[in-house]
Amino acid sequence: MGAWPLFRFRGIRVFLHWSWILVAVYHINTGKGEYPHIGWDIGEYLALFGIVLVHEFGHAFATRQVGGIAERILLWPLGGIAFVQTPPRAGAYLWGIAAGPLVNVVLWPVLWLITSQFSDPFNFFATCPRVPNTYSLLNPLGTPEAWPLFLHHIFWINTILLIFNLVPAYPLDGGQIFRGILWFFVGPMKSLLIAAWTGLILGGAAMIFVLIKFQSIWMAIMLGLIVQQSWMAISRVREWSRQMRGQ
């Protein structure tokens, strides 16, 4: 698997993929200069994956609650993966998926409350002026003050992760929630097919958009994985259909 074991919690083993270190070093170094010390950049990146980790534990614990199996979580550069086996019931599947974003929903008012003690989370620079041409904040003594900026970033990391995960594009949580709702009406295979085609179309269109508009290779890679996973799901449904016709 190319991953290192980190710890075990409630019988769930957490692994870190080796490539996470490389991407972490790249992002931390490209972010230098925003804080007065690189330690803040490291802390922000660790906070990002702390949020991702509790999100994945949400999936895992909810899956166990409905009688499923959850024994492993993998952290890698594009987020986290909770390896779960949910009972083949629409309600169980839907709860196992929805519990992840619900963790971010619970975190949102907590982070908003903490951040708002130092600045307006939605109008940051109006309440915390910055030095021209830098992001370094100054307290009345003129020394760098990083707490407001750090908390502001953590608040928006959680907010963006929540919004991104709720996009109805398979295999994102939003796409799987969409599938879980459809499951009640059209069954497991057809719901997966509809959700996967939706993810393929949305992911493909978004990938083209970010390449043309923003020239963002990193975002294009993430969206390309959505397209790839959606196509794999479509292929699985087609294979299942062939097997059922052959019986």
Side-chain angles (χ1 to χ4, degrees), residues 33-37 40 131 134-149:
E34 197 169 13
Y35 290 108
H37 189 276
W40 290 99
V131 178
T134 75
Y135 288 96
S136 299
L137 304 178
L138 299 181
N139 67 18
L141 298 178
T143 55
E145 175 57 73
W147 267 113
L149 182 62

PDB file of all heavy atoms in Angstrom, residues 33-37 40 131 134-149:
ATOM      1  N   GLY A  33       6.399  32.960   3.925  1.00  0.00           N
ATOM      2  CA  GLY A  33       6.255  34.401   3.770  1.00  0.00           C
ATOM      3  C   GLY A  33       4.899  34.897   4.190  1.00  0.00           C
ATOM      4  O   GLY A  33       4.716  36.084   4.465  1.00  0.00           O
ATOM      5  N   GLU A  34       3.915  33.996   4.272  1.00  0.00           N
ATOM      6  CA  GLU A  34       2.589  34.408   4.694  1.00  0.00           C
ATOM      7  C   GLU A  34       2.531  34.571   6.203  1.00  0.00           C
ATOM      8  O   GLU A  34       1.787  35.400   6.724  1.00  0.00           O
ATOM      9  CB  GLU A  34       1.559  33.370   4.215  1.00  0.00           C
ATOM     10  CG  GLU A  34       0.138  33.880   4.242  1.00  0.00           C
ATOM     11  CD  GLU A  34      -0.798  32.928   3.519  1.00  0.00           C
ATOM     12  OE1 GLU A  34      -0.385  31.796   3.223  1.00  0.00           O
ATOM     13  OE2 GLU A  34      -1.935  33.332   3.275  1.00  0.00           O
ATOM     14  N   TYR A  35       3.323  33.777   6.908  1.00  0.00           N
ATOM     15  CA  TYR A  35       3.433  33.865   8.360  1.00  0.00           C
ATOM     16  C   TYR A  35       4.837  34.351   8.736  1.00  0.00           C
ATOM     17  O   TYR A  35       5.767  34.232   7.935  1.00  0.00           O
ATOM     18  CB  TYR A  35       3.195  32.491   8.987  1.00  0.00           C
ATOM     19  CG  TYR A  35       1.773  31.988   8.899  1.00  0.00           C
ATOM     20  CD1 TYR A  35       1.448  30.938   8.028  1.00  0.00           C
ATOM     21  CD2 TYR A  35       0.765  32.531   9.676  1.00  0.00           C
ATOM     22  CE1 TYR A  35       0.152  30.454   7.958  1.00  0.00           C
ATOM     23  CE2 TYR A  35      -0.529  32.053   9.613  1.00  0.00           C
ATOM     24  CZ  TYR A  35      -0.826  31.018   8.746  1.00  0.00           C
ATOM     25  OH  TYR A  35      -2.116  30.550   8.677  1.00  0.00           O
ATOM     26  N   PRO A  36       4.999  34.832   9.961  1.00  0.00           N
ATOM     27  CA  PRO A  36       6.336  35.283  10.383  1.00  0.00           C
ATOM     28  C   PRO A  36       7.320  34.140  10.607  1.00  0.00           C
ATOM     29  O   PRO A  36       8.517  34.370  10.706  1.00  0.00           O
ATOM     30  CB  PRO A  36       6.057  36.026  11.692  1.00  0.00           C
ATOM     31  CG  PRO A  36       4.765  35.480  12.181  1.00  0.00           C
ATOM     32  CD  PRO A  36       3.962  35.156  10.957  1.00  0.00           C
ATOM     33  N   HIS A  37       6.802  32.897  10.696  1.00  0.00           N
ATOM     34  CA  HIS A  37       7.680  31.753  10.938  1.00  0.00           C
ATOM     35  C   HIS A  37       7.083  30.540  10.250  1.00  0.00           C
ATOM     36  O   HIS A  37       5.866  30.367  10.203  1.00  0.00           O
ATOM     37  CB  HIS A  37       7.822  31.505  12.448  1.00  0.00           C
ATOM     38  CG  HIS A  37       8.869  30.487  12.793  1.00  0.00           C
ATOM     39  ND1 HIS A  37       8.614  29.132  12.787  1.00  0.00           N
ATOM     40  CD2 HIS A  37      10.175  30.626  13.137  1.00  0.00           C
ATOM     41  CE1 HIS A  37       9.709  28.478  13.131  1.00  0.00           C
ATOM     42  NE2 HIS A  37      10.674  29.366  13.339  1.00  0.00           N
ATOM     43  N   TRP A  40       4.204  28.161  11.612  1.00  0.00           N
ATOM     44  CA  TRP A  40       2.778  28.402  11.394  1.00  0.00           C
ATOM     45  C   TRP A  40       2.286  27.665  10.144  1.00  0.00           C
ATOM     46  O   TRP A  40       1.159  27.151  10.125  1.00  0.00           O
ATOM     47  CB  TRP A  40       2.517  29.893  11.260  1.00  0.00           C
ATOM     48  CG  TRP A  40       2.698  30.645  12.544  1.00  0.00           C
ATOM     49  CD1 TRP A  40       3.798  31.354  12.925  1.00  0.00           C
ATOM     50  CD2 TRP A  40       1.768  30.739  13.617  1.00  0.00           C
ATOM     51  NE1 TRP A  40       3.606  31.900  14.175  1.00  0.00           N
ATOM     52  CE2 TRP A  40       2.371  31.538  14.620  1.00  0.00           C
ATOM     53  CE3 TRP A  40       0.487  30.226  13.838  1.00  0.00           C
ATOM     54  CZ2 TRP A  40       1.723  31.840  15.821  1.00  0.00           C
ATOM     55  CZ3 TRP A  40      -0.158  30.527  15.029  1.00  0.00           C
ATOM     56  CH2 TRP A  40       0.461  31.321  16.003  1.00  0.00           C
ATOM     57  N   VAL A 131       0.265  44.560   6.621  1.00  0.00           N
ATOM     58  CA  VAL A 131       1.361  45.388   6.122  1.00  0.00           C
ATOM     59  C   VAL A 131       1.298  45.384   4.594  1.00  0.00           C
ATOM     60  O   VAL A 131       1.033  44.346   3.991  1.00  0.00           O
ATOM     61  CB  VAL A 131       2.716  44.821   6.592  1.00  0.00           C
ATOM     62  CG1 VAL A 131       3.860  45.657   6.044  1.00  0.00           C
ATOM     63  CG2 VAL A 131       2.749  44.783   8.098  1.00  0.00           C
ATOM     64  N   THR A 134       2.351  42.313   2.053  1.00  0.00           N
ATOM     65  CA  THR A 134       2.609  41.087   2.810  1.00  0.00           C
ATOM     66  C   THR A 134       1.311  40.663   3.463  1.00  0.00           C
ATOM     67  O   THR A 134       0.309  41.366   3.466  1.00  0.00           O
ATOM     68  CB  THR A 134       3.659  41.294   3.919  1.00  0.00           C
ATOM     69  OG1 THR A 134       3.048  42.024   5.006  1.00  0.00           O
ATOM     70  CG2 THR A 134       4.878  42.026   3.417  1.00  0.00           C
ATOM     71  N   TYR A 135       1.357  39.455   4.084  1.00  0.00           N
ATOM     72  CA  TYR A 135       0.225  38.982   4.853  1.00  0.00           C
ATOM     73  C   TYR A 135       0.539  39.004   6.354  1.00  0.00           C
ATOM     74  O   TYR A 135      -0.197  38.474   7.148  1.00  0.00           O
ATOM     75  CB  TYR A 135      -0.153  37.554   4.439  1.00  0.00           C
ATOM     76  CG  TYR A 135      -0.799  37.460   3.087  1.00  0.00           C
ATOM     77  CD1 TYR A 135      -0.042  37.147   1.969  1.00  0.00           C
ATOM     78  CD2 TYR A 135      -2.151  37.698   2.919  1.00  0.00           C
ATOM     79  CE1 TYR A 135      -0.631  37.060   0.714  1.00  0.00           C
ATOM     80  CE2 TYR A 135      -2.749  37.620   1.668  1.00  0.00           C
ATOM     81  CZ  TYR A 135      -1.990  37.289   0.575  1.00  0.00           C
ATOM     82  OH  TYR A 135      -2.564  37.203  -0.673  1.00  0.00           O
ATOM     83  N   SER A 136       1.674  39.574   6.728  1.00  0.00           N
ATOM     84  CA  SER A 136       2.049  39.608   8.137  1.00  0.00           C
ATOM     85  C   SER A 136       1.172  40.616   8.882  1.00  0.00           C
ATOM     86  O   SER A 136       1.088  41.784   8.510  1.00  0.00           O
ATOM     87  CB  SER A 136       3.524  40.009   8.288  1.00  0.00           C
ATOM     88  OG  SER A 136       4.344  39.077   7.653  1.00  0.00           O
ATOM     89  N   LEU A 137       0.535  40.147   9.945  1.00  0.00           N
ATOM     90  CA  LEU A 137      -0.319  41.020  10.738  1.00  0.00           C
ATOM     91  C   LEU A 137       0.510  41.715  11.810  1.00  0.00           C
ATOM     92  O   LEU A 137       1.484  41.169  12.324  1.00  0.00           O
ATOM     93  CB  LEU A 137      -1.435  40.199  11.381  1.00  0.00           C
ATOM     94  CG  LEU A 137      -2.292  39.399  10.386  1.00  0.00           C
ATOM     95  CD1 LEU A 137      -3.316  38.590  11.135  1.00  0.00           C
ATOM     96  CD2 LEU A 137      -2.963  40.342   9.420  1.00  0.00           C
ATOM     97  N   LEU A 138       0.129  42.939  12.165  1.00  0.00           N
ATOM     98  CA  LEU A 138       0.871  43.679  13.177  1.00  0.00           C
ATOM     99  C   LEU A 138      -0.004  43.970  14.383  1.00  0.00           C
ATOM    100  O   LEU A 138      -1.157  44.379  14.248  1.00  0.00           O
ATOM    101  CB  LEU A 138       1.374  45.011  12.605  1.00  0.00           C
ATOM    102  CG  LEU A 138       2.341  44.907  11.409  1.00  0.00           C
ATOM    103  CD1 LEU A 138       2.765  46.301  10.982  1.00  0.00           C
ATOM    104  CD2 LEU A 138       3.551  44.074  11.779  1.00  0.00           C
ATOM    105  N   ASN A 139       0.544  43.714  15.546  1.00  0.00           N
ATOM    106  CA  ASN A 139      -0.155  44.135  16.746  1.00  0.00           C
ATOM    107  C   ASN A 139       0.269  45.583  17.056  1.00  0.00           C
ATOM    108  O   ASN A 139       1.088  46.157  16.348  1.00  0.00           O
ATOM    109  CB  ASN A 139       0.153  43.180  17.917  1.00  0.00           C
ATOM    110  CG  ASN A 139       1.601  43.249  18.355  1.00  0.00           C
ATOM    111  OD1 ASN A 139       2.316  44.197  18.044  1.00  0.00           O
ATOM    112  ND2 ASN A 139       2.034  42.241  19.090  1.00  0.00           N
ATOM    113  N   PRO A 140      -0.285  46.233  18.085  1.00  0.00           N
ATOM    114  CA  PRO A 140       0.053  47.643  18.349  1.00  0.00           C
ATOM    115  C   PRO A 140       1.543  47.903  18.560  1.00  0.00           C
ATOM    116  O   PRO A 140       2.013  49.027  18.371  1.00  0.00           O
ATOM    117  CB  PRO A 140      -0.741  47.958  19.610  1.00  0.00           C
ATOM    118  CG  PRO A 140      -1.901  47.031  19.546  1.00  0.00           C
ATOM    119  CD  PRO A 140      -1.358  45.767  18.959  1.00  0.00           C
ATOM    120  N   LEU A 141       2.320  46.887  18.938  1.00  0.00           N
ATOM    121  CA  LEU A 141       3.757  47.085  19.153  1.00  0.00           C
ATOM    122  C   LEU A 141       4.559  46.938  17.868  1.00  0.00           C
ATOM    123  O   LEU A 141       5.757  47.171  17.856  1.00  0.00           O
ATOM    124  CB  LEU A 141       4.266  46.076  20.199  1.00  0.00           C
ATOM    125  CG  LEU A 141       3.634  46.195  21.588  1.00  0.00           C
ATOM    126  CD1 LEU A 141       4.194  45.121  22.510  1.00  0.00           C
ATOM    127  CD2 LEU A 141       3.874  47.581  22.174  1.00  0.00           C
ATOM    128  N   GLY A 142       3.910  46.537  16.802  1.00  0.00           N
ATOM    129  CA  GLY A 142       4.598  46.420  15.534  1.00  0.00           C
ATOM    130  C   GLY A 142       5.282  45.090  15.293  1.00  0.00           C
ATOM    131  O   GLY A 142       6.025  44.943  14.329  1.00  0.00           O
ATOM    132  N   THR A 143       5.026  44.101  16.143  1.00  0.00           N
ATOM    133  CA  THR A 143       5.621  42.781  15.928  1.00  0.00           C
ATOM    134  C   THR A 143       4.604  41.868  15.238  1.00  0.00           C
ATOM    135  O   THR A 143       3.394  42.080  15.356  1.00  0.00           O
ATOM    136  CB  THR A 143       6.031  42.153  17.280  1.00  0.00           C
ATOM    137  OG1 THR A 143       4.888  42.128  18.133  1.00  0.00           O
ATOM    138  CG2 THR A 143       7.137  42.948  17.915  1.00  0.00           C
ATOM    139  N   PRO A 144       5.067  40.850  14.515  1.00  0.00           N
ATOM    140  CA  PRO A 144       4.129  39.991  13.774  1.00  0.00           C
ATOM    141  C   PRO A 144       3.136  39.288  14.705  1.00  0.00           C
ATOM    142  O   PRO A 144       3.503  38.786  15.758  1.00  0.00           O
ATOM    143  CB  PRO A 144       5.053  38.976  13.095  1.00  0.00           C
ATOM    144  CG  PRO A 144       6.362  39.676  13.016  1.00  0.00           C
ATOM    145  CD  PRO A 144       6.449  40.509  14.248  1.00  0.00           C
ATOM    146  N   GLU A 145       1.887  39.272  14.315  1.00  0.00           N
ATOM    147  CA  GLU A 145       0.830  38.586  15.063  1.00  0.00           C
ATOM    148  C   GLU A 145       0.147  37.614  14.120  1.00  0.00           C
ATOM    149  O   GLU A 145      -0.499  38.018  13.153  1.00  0.00           O
ATOM    150  CB  GLU A 145      -0.181  39.602  15.603  1.00  0.00           C
ATOM    151  CG  GLU A 145      -1.373  38.972  16.292  1.00  0.00           C
ATOM    152  CD  GLU A 145      -0.947  38.076  17.436  1.00  0.00           C
ATOM    153  OE1 GLU A 145      -0.532  38.593  18.471  1.00  0.00           O
ATOM    154  OE2 GLU A 145      -1.032  36.848  17.261  1.00  0.00           O
ATOM    155  N   ALA A 146       0.339  36.310  14.345  1.00  0.00           N
ATOM    156  CA  ALA A 146      -0.112  35.307  13.380  1.00  0.00           C
ATOM    157  C   ALA A 146      -1.410  34.609  13.761  1.00  0.00           C
ATOM    158  O   ALA A 146      -2.050  34.008  12.903  1.00  0.00           O
ATOM    159  CB  ALA A 146       0.982  34.254  13.176  1.00  0.00           C
ATOM    160  N   TRP A 147      -1.815  34.680  15.040  1.00  0.00           N
ATOM    161  CA  TRP A 147      -2.998  33.927  15.469  1.00  0.00           C
ATOM    162  C   TRP A 147      -4.249  34.235  14.654  1.00  0.00           C
ATOM    163  O   TRP A 147      -4.936  33.314  14.204  1.00  0.00           O
ATOM    164  CB  TRP A 147      -3.269  34.173  16.955  1.00  0.00           C
ATOM    165  CG  TRP A 147      -2.633  33.160  17.848  1.00  0.00           C
ATOM    166  CD1 TRP A 147      -1.617  33.356  18.734  1.00  0.00           C
ATOM    167  CD2 TRP A 147      -2.947  31.769  17.933  1.00  0.00           C
ATOM    168  NE1 TRP A 147      -1.280  32.192  19.360  1.00  0.00           N
ATOM    169  CE2 TRP A 147      -2.085  31.187  18.891  1.00  0.00           C
ATOM    170  CE3 TRP A 147      -3.872  30.950  17.285  1.00  0.00           C
ATOM    171  CZ2 TRP A 147      -2.124  29.835  19.212  1.00  0.00           C
ATOM    172  CZ3 TRP A 147      -3.908  29.595  17.604  1.00  0.00           C
ATOM    173  CH2 TRP A 147      -3.049  29.052  18.566  1.00  0.00           C
ATOM    174  N   PRO A 148      -4.597  35.518  14.448  1.00  0.00           N
ATOM    175  CA  PRO A 148      -5.818  35.789  13.669  1.00  0.00           C
ATOM    176  C   PRO A 148      -5.774  35.201  12.265  1.00  0.00           C
ATOM    177  O   PRO A 148      -6.772  34.653  11.789  1.00  0.00           O
ATOM    178  CB  PRO A 148      -5.882  37.316  13.634  1.00  0.00           C
ATOM    179  CG  PRO A 148      -5.109  37.761  14.832  1.00  0.00           C
ATOM    180  CD  PRO A 148      -4.000  36.768  14.964  1.00  0.00           C
ATOM    181  N   LEU A 149      -4.630  35.310  11.598  1.00  0.00           N
ATOM    182  CA  LEU A 149      -4.502  34.767  10.252  1.00  0.00           C
ATOM    183  C   LEU A 149      -4.600  33.247  10.265  1.00  0.00           C
ATOM    184  O   LEU A 149      -5.268  32.649   9.417  1.00  0.00           O
ATOM    185  CB  LEU A 149      -3.166  35.204   9.646  1.00  0.00           C
ATOM    186  CG  LEU A 149      -2.904  34.747   8.203  1.00  0.00           C
ATOM    187  CD1 LEU A 149      -3.935  35.335   7.257  1.00  0.00           C
ATOM    188  CD2 LEU A 149      -1.490  35.142   7.772  1.00  0.00           C
TER     189      LEU A 149
END
